[in-house]
Amino acid sequence: MGTRIFHTDREFHQQSFDVVARLVFDRASTILSNGNPVHTEVKTLLCLSNAAAFSGYSNTVINTFYTLLDDENSKNDEMEGWNK
């Protein structure tokens, strides 16, 4: 990973929210590809989105990852063995 320079704390915090959302999304994608539900990860992204919004940061990236995971997770909710 390269070096990034942030001119303000706000830029750093926004990037931090986005990176954490990406990490959660990547892990959830791996779990989904193995055929398992990701309800906890979806809830985590929702919580992160709320934290960003309440703190005055953009939650657009977080909501995109949330929507992708929630939609995919919902498609698989009817599978036997999955629980909410």
Side-chain angles (χ1 to χ4, degrees):
M1 187 170 246
T3 302
R4 296 177 190 239
I5 297 174
F6 300 101
H7 297 286
T8 65
D9 286 345
R10 185 161 186 77
E11 289 177 3
F12 172 74
H13 293 146
Q14 181 65 58
Q15 185 67 29
S16 298
F17 276 117
D18 295 346
V19 167
V20 169
R22 180 58 188 234
L23 291 171
V24 171
F25 178 79
D26 288 346
R27 178 67 182 135
S29 296
T30 302
I31 294 169
L32 269 174
S33 69
N34 291 331
N36 296 304
V38 290
H39 299 295
T40 303
E41 289 76 6
V42 169
K43 290 178 186 176
T44 301
L45 287 174
L46 182 59
C47 182
L48 188 62
S49 175
N50 288 334
F54 291 144
S55 299
Y57 294 96
S58 172
N59 60 357
T60 305
V61 171
I62 303 165
N63 288 342
T64 301
F65 290 138
Y66 169 82
T67 302
L68 289 170
L69 281 183
D70 192 42
D71 289 347
E72 191 63 33
N73 208 37
S74 296
K75 291 177 190 175
N76 297 324
D77 274 341
E78 301 301 320
M79 291 178 61
E80 187 174 325
W82 281 39
N83 58 3
K84 286 189 174 188

